[in-house]
Amino acid sequence: MMKSRIKLFIYNAVVVLICLGVLISFFVAPFWQVKAKYTVTPEMLKETIDKAAGGGGEGEDNPLGNLQLTDEDYDKVLGTEGFKVSLSLKLETMDMFSSLAFGKETETVENLLTANVNGVVAELVPRLNTLVKNAMPVISKVVINQAINDQVEKALEGTDGNAKELMEQAGFTNEYIDSETSKLVDAIYADDATVDSVAETVVETLEDVFTKLQESEIEQFAGAVLTEESKEEIRGQVKEALSVMADNEGNIVADELVADLILRSLQQINGGETESGKARLPVLLAESSEEIGTTERLKAELSEMLMGYVNDSTVSSMVLAMRIVSGLILFTMFTWAYLILKILVKLLCKNPGIKLALPIWLGWLPFLLLVLFPQILLLIVNTSPGFLGSIIGEQAMATLTQQLSVLSIGFSSCTIVALIGAVALFVLFFFYRRPRNKLKKLKKLRRIYPNATEADVR
């Protein structure tokens, strides 16, 4: 009997460790996470720019009208396989449990939305900043080329020279333009960059161009000079173009560019910074000793904008859903905690063996509902378009297929640990049942033969 009990004590210790690992996982990883990955392809960006450029015509009313990019430029910005942007939405266990506190329903929903907004902004903004940084050399090259061509054509007015051909003769190669482009990009991304400093960089570039033109000894460029009037015109154009990148003092923070553009768009939609967004800023200042940046302001503004769409009915529905999820979490955790409780209760019993079936069958139910089923559904959509098309219609299926070609959705959950734990218990069960059943048989045998031992069990 002692031998089987020792085995069961060891197995029970393993069971307790597995159960504790599963229970702890609920608090160290998101209960449920949906991750969407969208691929921006060169073709999509080209189509977007073409539409934007064609929508307002060329000229001052539409800066994209003169933006002529080659296929190579698009590849430089996005890569040949496209540029991937990821977004995640998370449900944390403690966020779900907070819904069980009555009287704090609105606060619960606000905390959930704020946490997910902060996560989305923290993921999206750095990625889009990378995209802007990839695009900046390409766009700067186009801008520099355009500025040079405009000023050279002005200098050639009254002559019969072709600007492009004469510039090539003067040594204006792609390598030269690339070097000048690098200066402009460096000026934009400098720590102390301002609208004025970038404008001066463009003016200095053009001054260098005209110096190079005069030194080329080409007849048509003799006496070519960049006038003060032209310089002021260039400064004005650059400052106007960079106004979307600068704050009220004219400072450019390139790493905050995307956040600033999104924030300005939101404020235009809302007719200015929301009162609730302004009210949120003192809270942010109290939480941090550092100056609040544009990204933090964006988080506050976006959170408050979303809360503006949430009414009492929405709050009630969201809290009800959160409480249902909380019930699912509590039931799942109970299936694992129950084994620990039973082991403790039977610790001093002659047969400390327990049944392992409850978590094996039900302990990974959330993984089945929140991860496995959605993944199977997406697999059906991707592999059997005809079947789904017969349900939702061919046109809707064609649109869905087109979107899914550049969009991938994945689901994850901390309950994958529960699934692994259930598999581990299932494997352990085949070793566990032998000493447990042996002690059960011994107990029955001793009712007939009180002096029976473990060796007598067959």
Side-chain angles (χ1 to χ4, degrees), residues 4-5 22 27 85 100 132 150 152 214 242-243 248 285-286 335 381 394 404:
S4 294
R5 286 195 70 199
V22 172
F27 301 98
V85 179
L100 301 176
V132 170
D150 288 345
V152 170
Q214 292 170 1
L242 293 177
S243 62
N248 294 332
L285 287 167
T335 63
V381 171
E394 292 184 3
L404 289 177

Side-chain angles (χ1 to χ4, degrees), residues 394-430:
E394 292 184 3
Q395 186 174 357
M397 188 62 212
T399 303
L400 181 61
T401 301
Q402 182 181 5
Q403 292 298 320
L404 289 177
S405 66
V406 292
L407 175 68
S408 62
I409 301 176
F411 304 90
S412 62
S413 171
C414 65
T415 53
I416 189 173
V417 179
L419 174 63
I420 295 171
V423 172
L425 288 184
F426 181 74
V427 173
L428 181 64
F429 167 74
F430 292 99

Side-chain angles (χ1 to χ4, degrees), residues 48-231:
T48 301
I49 291 179
D50 288 345
K51 286 182 179 178
E58 298 184 0
E60 292 180 359
D61 294 335
N62 188 355
L64 291 179
N66 294 322
L67 187 60
Q68 302 296 325
L69 301 180
T70 65
D71 290 340
E72 184 180 355
D73 291 331
Y74 286 108
D75 289 343
K76 286 179 180 178
V77 175
L78 300 175
T80 54
E81 296 182 359
F83 187 86
K84 292 179 172 55
V85 179
S86 299
L87 295 176
S88 298
L89 297 177
K90 300 178 183 179
L91 298 181
E92 302 284 353
T93 299
M94 293 308 298
D95 289 336
M96 299 300 101
F97 285 169
S98 66
S99 67
L100 301 176
F102 289 89
K104 296 184 177 181
E105 285 81 0
T106 302
E107 181 183 344
T108 297
V109 171
E110 183 176 3
N111 289 339
L112 179 64
L113 289 178
T114 299
N116 277 284
V117 165
N118 290 349
V120 167
V121 172
E123 264 189 299
L124 183 62
V125 169
R127 194 66 183 138
L128 291 182
N129 279 336
T130 301
L131 178 60
V132 170
K133 202 163 188 176
N134 290 348
M136 196 63 72
V138 174
I139 296 175
S140 297
K141 185 175 182 178
V142 174
V143 171
I144 290 289
N145 261 320
Q146 188 66 46
I148 292 174
N149 287 332
D150 288 345
Q151 295 303 321
V152 170
E153 285 177 0
K154 275 187 180 182
L156 290 174
E157 285 181 359
T159 71
D160 58 355
N162 181 282
K164 186 176 180 180
E165 292 178 359
L166 291 174
M167 286 178 66
E168 288 178 356
Q169 293 177 25
F172 285 90
T173 62
N174 283 331
E175 289 75 14
Y176 176 82
I177 298 297
D178 287 341
S179 67
E180 298 304 314
T181 299
S182 298
K183 292 179 184 178
L184 178 57
V185 174
D186 291 342
I188 293 174
Y189 280 90
D191 292 337
D192 56 350
T194 65
V195 170
D196 291 333
S197 67
V198 176
E200 286 305 315
T201 300
V202 176
V203 171
E204 289 170 7
T205 298
L206 289 171
E207 286 178 335
D208 291 342
V209 168
F210 274 80
T211 300
K212 190 175 178 65
L213 291 176
Q214 292 170 1
E215 294 173 350
S216 66
E217 298 182 356
I218 295 176
E219 181 181 352
Q220 287 87 340
F221 290 138
V225 64
L226 187 65
T227 65
E228 289 300 323
E229 182 183 351
S230 295
K231 291 179 184 178

Side-chain angles (χ1 to χ4, degrees), residues 321-332:
M322 292 170 71
R323 286 172 178 167
I324 292 173
V325 173
S326 296
L328 179 63
I329 295 173
L330 289 172
F331 173 76
T332 305

